[in-house]
Amino acid sequence: MQLENKVAFVTGAGSGIGAAGAMAMAREGAHVFVSDRDGAAAATVVETISATGHAATALTLDVTDDTALTSAISQAVALKGRIDILHSHAGLQIEGKLEEVAVVDMDASWNLNVRAHFVAAKAAIAPMRAQGGGSIIITSSNSGVQYDRGMIAYATTKHAILAMTRQMAADYAKENIRFNSLCPGFIDTPFNRGFEIQMGGRKKLDEYVENTIPMGRFGTVEEIADSIVFLASERSSFMTGHALVIDGGECI
């Protein structure tokens, strides 16, 4: 198993990509702390992991609460003695161009899509340094390497994640703490609701995916989970500061 005896902490892990990544890391031997603002959803993911004989702990966590986020990561370290992997995944998608996005919604996007990742990474640095290294994965999007029309809050914050991740990667490379960004394209989860609204409904979104993405389909959460395991494991040991784009060729 690629992650045997490792400890992973995942935010936004109650559904979709976060849940799939948590389950994949557990299958590879990690003890996974599954956190989500929806505690019941996190518990359901842990039940699924436990039912297959793997180890996980559920946490109710609002990552925009700095104290709660820092405390949750510290408690995980206290419980297991280490943190090898942080997948800071929780995010927010608000559709609209400049005139359509309220300042309060831009602030909410920044707080969840950038600031919360900063706080989570900051909490993981000291224990990772003490144990000799670790892998921090921050979810951006392929919207972080291209521009989506009418998605100013989302595209701006997803670009910011890449800049922040690369800066942290440069600062901590010599301490063997790796930072990489996960950049999914259209994965068939409820998170696409913002794009669905923007495009005029699910049918229009399906048509966009079929006609615009070179591979002509949505990706699956399992395909993204495989990439999460890769970034978390020693198979990516010489990779840091990278934006791993998995989008069926959309950004070509």
Side-chain angles (χ1 to χ4, degrees):
M1 292 188 287
Q2 296 183 62
L3 302 175
E4 190 170 7
N5 299 321
K6 302 293 187 183
V7 176
F9 192 104
V10 187
T11 69
S15 63
I17 289 172
M23 289 188 280
M25 287 192 285
R27 286 194 299 272
E28 289 294 335
H31 183 109
V32 183
F33 286 85
V34 178
S35 73
D36 198 277
R37 184 174 61 180
D38 183 344
T44 297
V45 172
V46 168
E47 287 173 7
T48 301
I49 291 171
S50 299
T52 58
H54 302 294
T57 302
L59 300 172
T60 302
L61 177 63
D62 178 355
V63 296
T64 63
D65 181 333
D66 296 352
T67 301
L69 177 54
T70 300
S71 176
I73 292 173
S74 296
Q75 288 173 14
V77 173
L79 183 63
K80 302 302 294 183
R82 60 190 300 114
I83 177 171
D84 300 282
I85 303 137
L86 169 65
H87 181 196
S88 191
H89 172 69
L92 177 66
Q93 185 185 97
I94 292 175
E95 75 284 353
K97 57 187 180 182
L98 177 62
E99 298 163 287
E100 298 166 340
V101 175
V103 172
V104 67
D105 288 332
M106 186 63 173
D107 287 343
S109 296
W110 187 266
N111 286 339
L112 190 52
N113 290 352
V114 183
R115 191 176 188 279
H117 298 310
F118 172 88
V119 174
K122 191 176 181 69
I125 286 294
M128 285 187 174
R129 175 185 292 122
Q131 70 200 26
S135 174
I136 295 179
I137 305 162
I138 300 178
T139 298
S140 176
S141 167
N142 73 339
S143 296
V145 298
Q146 63 180 4
Y147 294 94
D148 292 301
R149 302 299 182 264
M151 296 292 283
I152 188 169
Y154 190 67
T156 298
T157 55
K158 293 303 183 177
H159 275 74
I161 290 171
L162 298 190
M164 183 173 68
T165 301
R166 287 169 176 158
Q167 181 64 57
M168 294 187 294
D171 289 341
Y172 292 96
K174 290 188 183 300
E175 296 187 68
N176 196 35
I177 302 173
R178 300 186 295 112
F179 290 82
N180 291 291
S181 294
L182 182 72
C183 300
F186 277 104
I187 310 304
D188 199 5
T189 74
F191 191 74
N192 290 317
R193 180 61 178 161
F195 282 109
E196 185 177 325
I197 292 169
Q198 180 205 43
M199 292 179 185
R202 176 66 192 216
K203 183 178 179 181
K204 294 291 186 181
L205 177 58
D206 288 343
E207 289 173 355
Y208 174 88
V209 168
E210 182 177 352
N211 296 323
T212 306
I213 295 175
M215 292 186 74
R217 66 173 177 87
F218 285 95
T220 68
V221 294
E222 290 78 18
E223 288 171 317
I224 305 303
D226 287 341
S227 296
I228 292 167
V229 170
F230 170 71
L231 290 175
S233 75
E234 288 303 306
R235 292 194 174 185
S236 61
S237 59
F238 198 51
M239 180 185 290
T240 195
H242 185 70
L244 183 58
V245 178
I246 314 124
D247 69 352
E250 184 188 6
C251 69
I252 295 173

